[in-house]
Coordinates of all heavy atoms in Angstrom, one line a residue:
M12 N 190.6 103.3 -40.5 CA 191.6 103.7 -39.6 C 191.0 104.7 -38.7 O 190.4 105.7 -39.1 CB 192.8 104.3 -40.4 CG 193.9 104.8 -39.5 SD 195.4 105.5 -40.4 CE 196.0 104.0 -41.0
K13 N 191.4 104.7 -37.4 CA 190.9 105.7 -36.4 C 191.8 107.0 -36.5 O 193.0 106.8 -36.7 CB 190.9 105.1 -35.0 CG 190.0 104.0 -34.9 CD 190.0 103.3 -33.4 CE 191.4 102.5 -33.4 NZ 191.5 101.8 -32.1
H14 N 191.3 108.1 -36.4 CA 192.0 109.3 -36.5 C 191.8 110.2 -35.3 O 190.7 110.2 -34.7 CB 191.5 110.1 -37.8 CG 192.1 111.4 -37.9 ND1 191.4 112.5 -38.3 CD2 193.4 111.8 -37.9 CE1 192.1 113.5 -38.4 NE2 193.4 113.2 -38.2
V15 N 192.8 110.8 -34.8 CA 192.8 111.7 -33.6 C 193.5 113.1 -33.9 O 194.4 113.1 -34.6 CB 193.5 111.1 -32.4 CG1 194.9 110.7 -32.7 CG2 193.3 111.9 -31.1
L16 N 192.9 114.1 -33.4 CA 193.5 115.4 -33.5 C 193.9 115.8 -32.0 O 193.2 115.7 -31.1 CB 192.5 116.4 -34.0 CG 192.8 117.9 -33.8 CD1 194.1 118.3 -34.5 CD2 191.7 118.8 -34.1
I17 N 195.2 116.0 -31.9 CA 195.8 116.3 -30.5 C 196.4 117.7 -30.6 O 197.4 117.9 -31.4 CB 196.9 115.2 -30.1 CG1 196.3 113.8 -30.2 CG2 197.4 115.6 -28.7 CD1 197.4 112.8 -29.9
T18 N 196.0 118.6 -29.6 CA 196.6 119.9 -29.5 C 197.7 119.8 -28.4 O 197.7 118.8 -27.6 CB 195.7 120.9 -29.1 OG1 195.1 120.7 -27.8 CG2 194.4 121.0 -30.1
G19 N 198.7 120.6 -28.4 CA 199.7 120.5 -27.5 C 200.5 119.3 -27.7 O 201.0 118.6 -26.7
A20 N 200.7 118.9 -28.9 CA 201.3 117.5 -29.2 C 202.8 117.5 -29.3 O 203.4 116.5 -29.6 CB 200.7 117.0 -30.4
S21 N 203.6 118.6 -29.1 CA 205.0 118.6 -29.3 C 205.7 118.1 -28.1 O 207.0 117.8 -28.3 CB 205.4 120.0 -29.7 OG 205.1 120.9 -28.6
R22 N 205.2 118.0 -26.9 CA 205.8 117.5 -25.8 C 205.0 117.2 -24.6 O 203.7 117.4 -24.8 CB 206.9 118.6 -25.3 CG 206.3 119.9 -25.0 CD 207.5 120.8 -24.7 NE 206.9 122.2 -25.0 CZ 207.5 123.3 -24.7 NH1 208.7 123.3 -24.2 NH2 207.0 124.5 -25.0
G23 N 205.5 116.7 -23.5 CA 204.6 116.3 -22.3 C 203.5 115.4 -22.6 O 203.7 114.4 -23.3
L24 N 202.4 115.8 -22.0 CA 201.2 114.9 -22.0 C 200.7 114.7 -23.5 O 200.3 113.5 -23.8 CB 200.1 115.4 -21.2 CG 198.8 114.6 -21.1 CD1 199.1 113.2 -20.6 CD2 197.8 115.4 -20.2
G25 N 200.8 115.8 -24.3 CA 200.2 115.6 -25.6 C 201.1 114.7 -26.5 O 200.5 113.8 -27.2
L26 N 202.4 114.7 -26.3 CA 203.3 113.8 -27.1 C 203.2 112.4 -26.6 O 203.2 111.5 -27.4 CB 204.8 114.4 -27.0 CG 205.8 113.5 -27.7 CD1 205.5 113.4 -29.2 CD2 207.1 114.2 -27.6
A27 N 203.0 112.3 -25.3 CA 202.9 111.0 -24.7 C 201.7 110.3 -25.2 O 201.6 109.1 -25.6 CB 202.9 111.0 -23.2
L28 N 200.5 111.0 -25.3 CA 199.3 110.5 -25.9 C 199.4 110.2 -27.3 O 199.0 109.1 -27.7 CB 198.1 111.6 -25.7 CG 196.9 111.2 -26.2 CD1 196.3 109.9 -25.5 CD2 195.8 112.3 -26.1
A29 N 200.2 111.0 -28.1 CA 200.3 110.7 -29.5 C 201.2 109.4 -29.7 O 200.8 108.6 -30.5 CB 201.1 111.9 -30.1
R30 N 202.2 109.2 -28.9 CA 202.9 108.0 -28.9 C 202.1 106.8 -28.7 O 202.2 105.8 -29.4 CB 204.2 108.0 -28.0 CG 205.2 108.9 -28.4 CD 206.4 108.9 -27.4 NE 207.5 109.8 -27.9 CZ 208.1 110.7 -27.2 NH1 207.8 110.7 -25.9 NH2 209.1 111.4 -27.7
S31 N 201.3 106.9 -27.7 CA 200.4 105.8 -27.2 C 199.5 105.5 -28.3 O 199.2 104.2 -28.7 CB 199.7 106.1 -25.9 OG 198.9 105.0 -25.6
L32 N 198.8 106.4 -28.9 CA 197.8 106.2 -29.9 C 198.5 105.7 -31.2 O 197.9 104.9 -31.9 CB 197.0 107.4 -30.1 CG 196.0 107.8 -28.9 CD1 195.4 109.1 -29.2 CD2 195.0 106.7 -28.7
A33 N 199.6 106.3 -31.5 CA 200.3 105.7 -32.7 C 200.6 104.2 -32.6 O 200.5 103.6 -33.6 CB 201.6 106.6 -32.9
A34 N 201.1 103.8 -31.4 CA 201.3 102.5 -31.2 C 200.1 101.5 -31.4 O 200.2 100.4 -31.7 CB 202.0 102.3 -29.8
D35 N 198.9 102.2 -31.1 CA 197.7 101.5 -31.3 C 197.1 101.6 -32.7 O 195.9 101.1 -32.9 CB 196.6 101.9 -30.2 CG 196.9 101.4 -28.9 OD1 197.7 100.4 -28.7 OD2 196.4 102.0 -27.9
G36 N 197.9 102.2 -33.6 CA 197.4 102.2 -35.0 C 196.5 103.5 -35.4 O 196.0 103.4 -36.5
W37 N 196.5 104.5 -34.6 CA 195.7 105.6 -34.9 C 196.5 106.5 -35.9 O 197.8 106.6 -35.9 CB 195.5 106.5 -33.7 CG 194.4 105.9 -32.7 CD1 194.6 104.8 -32.0 CD2 193.1 106.4 -32.5 NE1 193.4 104.5 -31.3 CE2 192.5 105.6 -31.5 CE3 192.4 107.5 -32.9 CZ2 191.3 105.7 -31.0 CZ3 191.1 107.8 -32.3 CH2 190.6 106.9 -31.4
A38 N 195.7 107.2 -36.8 CA 196.3 108.3 -37.6 C 196.2 109.5 -36.8 O 195.3 109.7 -36.0 CB 195.5 108.4 -38.9
L39 N 197.3 110.3 -36.9 CA 197.4 111.4 -36.0 C 197.5 112.8 -36.8 O 198.2 112.8 -37.8 CB 198.8 111.4 -35.2 CG 199.0 110.0 -34.5 CD1 200.5 110.1 -34.0 CD2 198.1 109.9 -33.4
T40 N 196.6 113.7 -36.3 CA 196.9 115.2 -36.7 C 197.3 115.8 -35.5 O 196.6 115.8 -34.5 CB 195.6 115.7 -37.3 OG1 195.2 115.1 -38.5 CG2 195.8 117.2 -37.6
L41 N 198.5 116.4 -35.6 CA 199.1 117.0 -34.3 C 199.2 118.5 -34.5 O 199.5 119.0 -35.6 CB 200.5 116.4 -34.1 CG 200.7 114.9 -34.1 CD1 202.1 114.5 -33.9 CD2 199.8 114.3 -33.0
T42 N 199.1 119.3 -33.5 CA 199.2 120.8 -33.5 C 199.9 121.2 -32.2 O 199.7 120.6 -31.2 CB 197.9 121.5 -33.8 OG1 198.3 122.8 -34.1 CG2 196.9 121.4 -32.7
A43 N 200.6 122.3 -32.3 CA 201.3 123.0 -31.2 C 201.8 124.2 -31.7 O 201.9 124.4 -32.9 CB 202.4 122.1 -30.6
R44 N 202.0 125.2 -30.8 CA 202.5 126.5 -31.1 C 204.1 126.4 -31.6 O 204.4 127.2 -32.5 CB 202.4 127.5 -30.0 CG 201.0 127.9 -29.7 CD 200.9 129.0 -28.7 NE 201.6 128.7 -27.5 CZ 201.0 128.4 -26.3 NH1 199.7 128.4 -26.2 NH2 201.8 128.1 -25.3
G45 N 204.8 125.6 -31.0 CA 206.2 125.5 -31.3 C 206.5 124.7 -32.6 O 206.5 123.4 -32.5
E46 N 206.8 125.3 -33.7 CA 206.9 124.6 -35.0 C 208.1 123.6 -35.0 O 207.8 122.5 -35.4 CB 207.1 125.6 -36.1 CG 207.0 124.9 -37.5 CD 207.0 126.0 -38.6 OE1 206.9 127.2 -38.4 OE2 206.9 125.5 -39.7
E47 N 209.1 124.0 -34.5 CA 210.4 123.1 -34.6 C 210.1 121.8 -33.7 O 210.4 120.7 -34.1 CB 211.6 123.9 -34.1 CG 212.9 123.0 -34.2 CD 214.1 123.8 -33.9 OE1 214.1 125.0 -34.0 OE2 215.1 123.1 -33.5
D48 N 209.6 122.1 -32.4 CA 209.3 120.9 -31.5 C 208.2 120.0 -32.2 O 208.3 118.8 -32.1 CB 208.9 121.4 -30.2 CG 210.0 122.0 -29.3 OD1 211.2 121.7 -29.7 OD2 209.7 122.7 -28.4
L49 N 207.3 120.6 -32.8 CA 206.2 119.8 -33.3 C 206.6 119.0 -34.5 O 206.3 117.8 -34.6 CB 205.1 120.7 -33.8 CG 203.9 120.0 -34.5 CD1 203.2 119.1 -33.5 CD2 202.9 121.1 -35.1
H50 N 207.5 119.5 -35.4 CA 208.0 118.8 -36.5 C 209.0 117.7 -36.1 O 209.0 116.6 -36.7 CB 208.6 119.7 -37.6 CG 207.5 120.4 -38.2 ND1 206.5 119.8 -39.1 CD2 207.1 121.7 -38.2 CE1 205.7 120.7 -39.6 NE2 206.0 121.9 -39.0
C51 N 209.7 117.9 -35.0 CA 210.6 116.9 -34.4 C 209.7 115.7 -33.9 O 210.1 114.5 -34.1 CB 211.5 117.4 -33.3 SG 212.9 118.4 -34.0
A52 N 208.7 116.1 -33.2 CA 207.8 115.0 -32.6 C 207.1 114.3 -33.8 O 207.0 113.0 -33.7 CB 206.7 115.7 -31.7
A53 N 206.7 114.9 -34.8 CA 206.0 114.3 -35.9 C 207.0 113.4 -36.6 O 206.6 112.3 -37.1 CB 205.4 115.4 -36.9
F54 N 208.2 113.8 -36.9 CA 209.2 113.0 -37.5 C 209.5 111.7 -36.7 O 209.5 110.6 -37.3 CB 210.5 113.8 -37.6 CG 211.6 113.0 -38.3 CD1 211.6 112.9 -39.7 CD2 212.6 112.4 -37.6 CE1 212.6 112.2 -40.4 CE2 213.6 111.6 -38.2 CZ 213.7 111.5 -39.5
D55 N 209.6 111.8 -35.4 CA 209.8 110.6 -34.6 C 208.6 109.6 -34.7 O 208.7 108.4 -34.6 CB 210.0 110.9 -33.1 CG 211.4 111.6 -32.9 OD1 212.2 111.4 -33.8 OD2 211.5 112.3 -31.9
L56 N 207.3 110.2 -34.7 CA 206.2 109.4 -34.7 C 205.9 108.8 -36.1 O 205.1 107.8 -36.2 CB 205.0 110.2 -34.2 CG 204.9 110.6 -32.8 CD1 203.9 111.7 -32.5 CD2 204.7 109.3 -32.0
D57 N 206.4 109.4 -37.1 CA 206.1 109.1 -38.6 C 206.5 107.6 -38.8 O 205.8 106.9 -39.7 CB 206.8 110.0 -39.5 CG 206.2 109.9 -40.9 OD1 205.0 109.8 -41.0 OD2 207.1 109.7 -41.9
A58 N 207.5 107.1 -38.1 CA 207.8 105.7 -38.4 C 206.7 104.6 -38.0 O 206.7 103.6 -38.5 CB 209.1 105.3 -37.6
S59 N 205.9 105.1 -37.0 CA 204.9 104.1 -36.5 C 203.4 104.6 -36.8 O 202.5 103.8 -36.5 CB 205.0 103.9 -35.0 OG 205.0 105.2 -34.4
A60 N 203.2 105.7 -37.4 CA 201.8 106.1 -37.6 C 201.7 107.1 -38.8 O 202.8 107.6 -39.3 CB 201.3 106.9 -36.5
D61 N 200.5 107.3 -39.3 CA 200.3 108.3 -40.4 C 200.1 109.6 -39.7 O 199.2 109.8 -38.8 CB 198.9 107.9 -41.1 CG 198.5 108.9 -42.1 OD1 199.3 109.7 -42.6 OD2 197.3 108.8 -42.6
V62 N 201.0 110.5 -39.9 CA 201.1 111.7 -39.1 C 201.0 113.0 -40.0 O 201.7 113.1 -41.0 CB 202.4 111.8 -38.3 CG1 202.5 113.1 -37.5 CG2 202.6 110.6 -37.4
T63 N 200.2 113.9 -39.5 CA 200.0 115.3 -40.1 C 200.3 116.2 -39.0 O 199.7 116.2 -38.0 CB 198.7 115.5 -40.7 OG1 198.3 114.6 -41.7 CG2 198.5 116.9 -41.3
A64 N 201.2 117.1 -39.3 CA 201.6 118.2 -38.2 C 201.3 119.5 -38.8 O 201.8 119.9 -39.9 CB 203.1 118.0 -37.9
I65 N 200.6 120.3 -38.0 CA 200.2 121.7 -38.4 C 200.5 122.6 -37.3 O 199.7 122.6 -36.3 CB 198.7 121.7 -38.8 CG1 198.4 120.7 -39.9 CG2 198.4 123.2 -39.3 CD1 197.0 120.6 -40.2
A66 N 201.6 123.4 -37.3 CA 202.0 124.3 -36.3 C 201.0 125.5 -36.3 O 200.6 126.0 -37.3 CB 203.5 124.7 -36.4
G67 N 200.7 125.9 -35.1 CA 200.0 127.2 -34.9 C 199.3 127.2 -33.6 O 199.4 126.4 -32.7
D68 N 198.6 128.3 -33.4 CA 197.9 128.5 -32.1 C 196.4 128.3 -32.3 O 195.8 129.0 -33.1 CB 198.2 130.0 -31.6 CG 197.7 130.4 -30.3 OD1 196.8 129.7 -29.8 OD2 198.2 131.3 -29.7
V69 N 195.8 127.4 -31.4 CA 194.4 127.1 -31.6 C 193.5 128.3 -31.3 O 192.3 128.3 -31.5 CB 194.0 125.9 -30.8 CG1 194.6 124.6 -31.3 CG2 194.3 126.1 -29.3
A70 N 194.1 129.4 -30.6 CA 193.3 130.6 -30.4 C 193.1 131.4 -31.7 O 192.2 132.3 -31.8 CB 194.0 131.5 -29.4
D71 N 193.8 131.0 -32.7 CA 193.8 131.8 -34.0 C 192.7 131.1 -34.9 O 192.8 129.9 -35.2 CB 195.1 131.7 -34.7 CG 195.2 132.3 -36.1 OD1 194.2 132.9 -36.5 OD2 196.2 132.1 -36.7
P72 N 191.6 131.8 -35.3 CA 190.6 131.2 -36.1 C 191.1 130.6 -37.4 O 190.6 129.5 -37.9 CB 189.6 132.4 -36.4 CG 189.9 133.4 -35.3 CD 191.4 133.2 -35.0
A73 N 192.1 131.2 -38.1 CA 192.6 130.7 -39.3 C 193.3 129.3 -39.1 O 193.2 128.4 -39.9 CB 193.6 131.6 -40.0
H74 N 194.0 129.2 -38.0 CA 194.6 127.9 -37.6 C 193.6 126.9 -37.4 O 193.7 125.7 -37.8 CB 195.5 128.1 -36.4 CG 196.2 126.8 -36.1 ND1 197.1 126.1 -36.9 CD2 196.2 126.1 -34.9 CE1 197.6 125.0 -36.3 NE2 197.0 124.9 -35.1
R75 N 192.5 127.2 -36.7 CA 191.5 126.2 -36.4 C 190.9 125.7 -37.7 O 190.5 124.6 -37.9 CB 190.4 126.8 -35.5 CG 190.9 126.9 -34.0 CD 189.8 127.2 -33.0 NE 188.9 128.3 -33.4 CZ 189.1 129.6 -33.0 NH1 190.1 129.9 -32.2 NH2 188.2 130.5 -33.4
A76 N 190.7 126.7 -38.7 CA 190.2 126.3 -40.0 C 191.1 125.3 -40.7 O 190.6 124.3 -41.3 CB 189.9 127.6 -40.8
R77 N 192.4 125.5 -40.6 CA 193.3 124.6 -41.2 C 193.3 123.3 -40.6 O 193.3 122.2 -41.2 CB 194.7 125.1 -41.1 CG 195.1 126.3 -42.1 CD 196.6 126.6 -42.1 NE 197.1 127.0 -40.8 CZ 197.1 128.3 -40.3 NH1 196.5 129.2 -41.0 NH2 197.6 128.5 -39.2
L78 N 193.1 123.2 -39.2 CA 193.0 121.9 -38.5 C 191.7 121.2 -39.0 O 191.6 120.0 -39.1 CB 192.9 122.1 -37.0 CG 194.2 122.6 -36.4 CD1 194.0 122.9 -34.9 CD2 195.4 121.5 -36.6
A79 N 190.6 122.0 -39.1 CA 189.3 121.3 -39.5 C 189.3 120.7 -40.8 O 188.6 119.7 -41.1 CB 188.2 122.4 -39.4
A80 N 190.2 121.2 -41.7 CA 190.4 120.8 -43.0 C 191.4 119.7 -43.2 O 191.6 119.1 -44.4 CB 190.7 121.9 -44.0
A81 N 192.1 119.3 -42.2 CA 193.2 118.4 -42.3 C 192.9 117.1 -41.7 O 192.2 117.0 -40.6 CB 194.5 118.9 -41.7
P82 N 193.3 115.9 -42.2 CA 193.8 115.8 -43.5 C 192.7 115.9 -44.6 O 192.8 116.5 -45.6 CB 194.5 114.5 -43.6 CG 194.0 113.7 -42.5 CD 193.4 114.7 -41.4
D83 N 191.5 115.3 -44.3 CA 190.4 115.5 -45.2 C 189.2 115.1 -44.4 O 188.8 114.0 -44.1 CB 190.4 114.5 -46.4 CG 189.3 114.6 -47.3 OD1 188.3 115.3 -47.0 OD2 189.2 113.9 -48.3
P84 N 188.4 116.2 -43.9 CA 187.3 115.9 -43.0 C 186.2 115.1 -43.6 O 185.4 114.5 -42.9 CB 186.9 117.4 -42.6 CG 187.4 118.2 -43.7 CD 188.7 117.6 -44.2
E85 N 186.1 115.0 -44.9 CA 185.0 114.3 -45.5 C 185.3 112.8 -45.3 O 184.3 112.0 -45.3 CB 184.9 114.6 -47.0 CG 184.7 116.1 -47.3 CD 183.3 116.4 -47.5 OE1 182.6 115.5 -48.0 OE2 182.9 117.6 -47.4
T86 N 186.6 112.4 -45.3 CA 186.9 110.9 -45.4 C 187.6 110.5 -44.1 O 187.5 109.3 -43.8 CB 187.7 110.6 -46.6 OG1 189.0 111.3 -46.5 CG2 187.1 110.8 -47.9
V87 N 188.2 111.4 -43.3 CA 189.0 111.0 -42.2 C 188.6 111.9 -41.0 O 189.4 112.5 -40.4 CB 190.5 111.1 -42.4 CG1 191.3 110.5 -41.3 CG2 190.9 110.6 -43.8
A88 N 187.3 111.9 -40.7 CA 186.9 112.8 -39.6 C 187.5 112.2 -38.2 O 187.6 111.0 -38.1 CB 185.4 112.8 -39.4
P89 N 188.0 113.0 -37.3 CA 188.6 112.5 -36.1 C 187.5 111.7 -35.3 O 186.4 112.2 -35.1 CB 189.0 113.7 -35.3 CG 189.2 114.8 -36.4 CD 188.2 114.5 -37.5
A90 N 188.0 110.5 -34.8 CA 187.1 109.8 -33.9 C 187.3 110.3 -32.5 O 186.6 110.0 -31.6 CB 187.4 108.3 -34.0
L91 N 188.4 111.0 -32.3 CA 188.8 111.5 -31.0 C 189.4 112.8 -31.1 O 190.2 113.1 -32.0 CB 189.8 110.5 -30.3 CG 190.4 110.9 -29.0 CD1 189.3 110.9 -27.9 CD2 191.4 109.9 -28.6
L92 N 189.1 113.8 -30.3 CA 189.7 115.1 -30.2 C 190.3 115.2 -28.8 O 189.5 115.1 -27.9 CB 188.6 116.2 -30.5 CG 189.1 117.6 -30.3 CD1 190.2 118.0 -31.3 CD2 187.9 118.5 -30.4
R93 N 191.5 115.5 -28.6 CA 192.2 115.6 -27.4 C 192.8 116.9 -27.3 O 193.8 117.2 -28.0 CB 193.1 114.4 -27.1 CG 193.9 114.6 -25.8 CD 192.9 114.4 -24.7 NE 193.6 114.5 -23.4 CZ 193.1 115.1 -22.4 NH1 192.0 115.7 -22.4 NH2 193.8 115.1 -21.2
L94 N 192.4 117.9 -26.4 CA 192.9 119.2 -26.2 C 193.8 119.1 -25.0 O 193.2 118.9 -23.9 CB 191.8 120.2 -26.1 CG 190.8 120.3 -27.2 CD1 189.7 121.2 -26.9 CD2 191.5 120.6 -28.6
V95 N 195.1 119.3 -25.2 CA 196.0 119.3 -24.1 C 196.4 120.7 -23.9 O 197.1 121.2 -24.7 CB 197.2 118.4 -24.4 CG1 198.2 118.3 -23.3 CG2 196.8 117.0 -24.8
A96 N 196.0 121.2 -22.8 CA 196.3 122.7 -22.6 C 197.4 122.9 -21.7 O 197.5 122.2 -20.6 CB 195.0 123.4 -21.9
A97 N 198.3 123.8 -22.0 CA 199.4 124.2 -21.2 C 199.0 125.6 -20.8 O 198.0 126.2 -21.0 CB 200.7 124.1 -21.9
R98 N 200.0 126.3 -20.2 CA 199.7 127.7 -19.9 C 199.7 128.5 -21.3 O 200.4 128.2 -22.3 CB 200.8 128.3 -19.1 CG 202.2 128.3 -19.6 CD 203.2 128.8 -18.5 NE 204.5 128.6 -19.0 CZ 205.1 129.2 -19.9 NH1 204.5 130.1 -20.6 NH2 206.4 128.9 -20.2
P99 N 198.9 129.5 -21.4 CA 198.8 130.3 -22.6 C 200.2 131.0 -22.9 O 201.0 131.3 -22.0 CB 197.7 131.3 -22.3 CG 197.5 131.3 -20.9 CD 198.0 130.0 -20.4
A100 N 200.4 131.4 -24.1 CA 201.6 132.0 -24.5 C 201.8 133.3 -23.7 O 202.9 133.7 -23.3 CB 201.7 132.4 -26.0
S101 N 200.7 134.1 -23.4 CA 200.8 135.3 -22.7 C 199.4 135.5 -22.1 O 198.4 135.1 -22.7 CB 201.3 136.4 -23.5 OG 200.4 136.7 -24.5
G102 N 199.3 136.0 -20.9 CA 198.0 136.4 -20.4 C 197.2 135.2 -19.8 O 197.9 134.2 -19.5
R103 N 196.0 135.3 -19.8 CA 195.1 134.3 -19.2 C 194.2 133.7 -20.3 O 193.9 134.3 -21.3 CB 194.3 134.9 -18.1 CG 195.2 135.4 -17.0 CD 194.3 136.1 -15.9 NE 193.3 135.3 -15.4 CZ 192.4 135.6 -14.5 NH1 192.5 136.9 -14.0 NH2 191.5 134.8 -14.1
F104 N 193.7 132.5 -20.0 CA 192.7 132.0 -20.9 C 191.5 132.7 -20.7 O 191.1 133.1 -19.6 CB 192.4 130.5 -20.5 CG 193.4 129.5 -21.0 CD1 194.1 128.8 -20.1 CD2 193.5 129.2 -22.4 CE1 195.1 127.9 -20.6 CE2 194.4 128.4 -22.9 CZ 195.2 127.6 -21.9
T105 N 190.8 133.1 -21.8 CA 189.5 133.8 -21.7 C 188.5 133.1 -22.5 O 188.9 132.4 -23.5 CB 189.7 135.3 -22.2 OG1 190.0 135.3 -23.6 CG2 190.8 136.0 -21.4
R106 N 187.3 133.4 -22.4 CA 186.2 132.9 -23.2 C 186.5 133.3 -24.6 O 186.3 132.4 -25.6 CB 184.9 133.4 -22.7 CG 183.8 132.9 -23.5 CD 182.4 133.3 -23.0 NE 181.4 132.8 -23.9 CZ 180.5 132.0 -23.6 NH1 180.4 131.5 -22.4 NH2 179.6 131.6 -24.5
D107 N 186.9 134.5 -24.9 CA 187.1 134.9 -26.3 C 188.1 134.1 -27.0 O 188.0 133.9 -28.2 CB 187.5 136.4 -26.3 CG 186.4 137.3 -25.9 OD1 185.2 136.9 -25.9 OD2 186.6 138.4 -25.5
A108 N 189.2 133.7 -26.3 CA 190.3 132.9 -26.9 C 189.8 131.5 -27.4 O 190.4 131.0 -28.3 CB 191.4 132.7 -25.9
L109 N 188.7 131.1 -26.9 CA 188.2 129.7 -27.1 C 187.1 129.8 -28.2 O 186.8 128.7 -28.8 CB 187.7 129.0 -25.9 CG 188.7 128.8 -24.8 CD1 188.0 128.2 -23.6 CD2 189.9 128.0 -25.3
E110 N 186.6 130.9 -28.5 CA 185.5 131.0 -29.6 C 186.1 131.1 -30.9 O 187.1 131.6 -31.2 CB 184.6 132.2 -29.2 CG 183.9 132.0 -27.9 CD 183.0 133.2 -27.4 OE1 183.3 134.3 -27.8 OE2 182.1 132.9 -26.7

C-alpha cells in the first residue's frame, strides 16, 4: 500500500489532496495545527482510506519526531511527502522554523 504524509491536511489544498489520494487507495498520515478540524477531516476520510491523524505544529521538533514514527516507519515509509504551507500561526517563516 502506498503511504503519504500530508501537512496542512485539515482543510483547503491539503484536505483536497488527502481526499484525492484516499480515493486512489493511499494510506494517509495527516497533520495540521487545528486538532478539531484535523480529526473531523480524518473521520470523513476514514471511510475510504487507512488514516492516521496527528495534530501539531511542524515547527515543533517533538511533533516532527511523532510524525517520523507514525504509523511505523520501518514498514510503512511514506512514498510521498506533501507539505502544504499556509500562513504561519504568527510571525514569518524563518529558516530556524524549518530546521
Side-chain angles (χ1 to χ4, degrees):
M12 177 180 290
K13 297 177 285 184
H14 176 225
V15 61
L16 168 61
I17 304 173
T18 67
S21 63
R22 56 186 156 173
L24 181 59
L26 180 55
L28 178 63
R30 286 183 178 132
S31 177
L32 292 174
D35 285 340
W37 286 68
L39 310 171
T40 297
L41 309 177
T42 190
R44 289 188 305 252
E46 186 171 1
E47 186 174 334
D48 287 342
L49 179 64
H50 288 292
C51 286
F54 180 80
D55 289 342
L56 291 164
D57 193 46
S59 59
D61 177 14
V62 180
T63 301
I65 305 170
D68 188 337
V69 294
D71 176 8
H74 180 62
R75 291 193 308 268
R77 285 190 299 274
L78 291 174
D83 179 356
E85 303 258 340
T86 60
V87 192
L91 176 65
L92 172 62
R93 179 64 178 140
L94 304 175
V95 180
R98 62 181 168 75
S101 64
R103 298 172 55 178
F104 282 114
T105 65
R106 180 182 175 114
D107 293 339
L109 300 176
E110 295 179 331

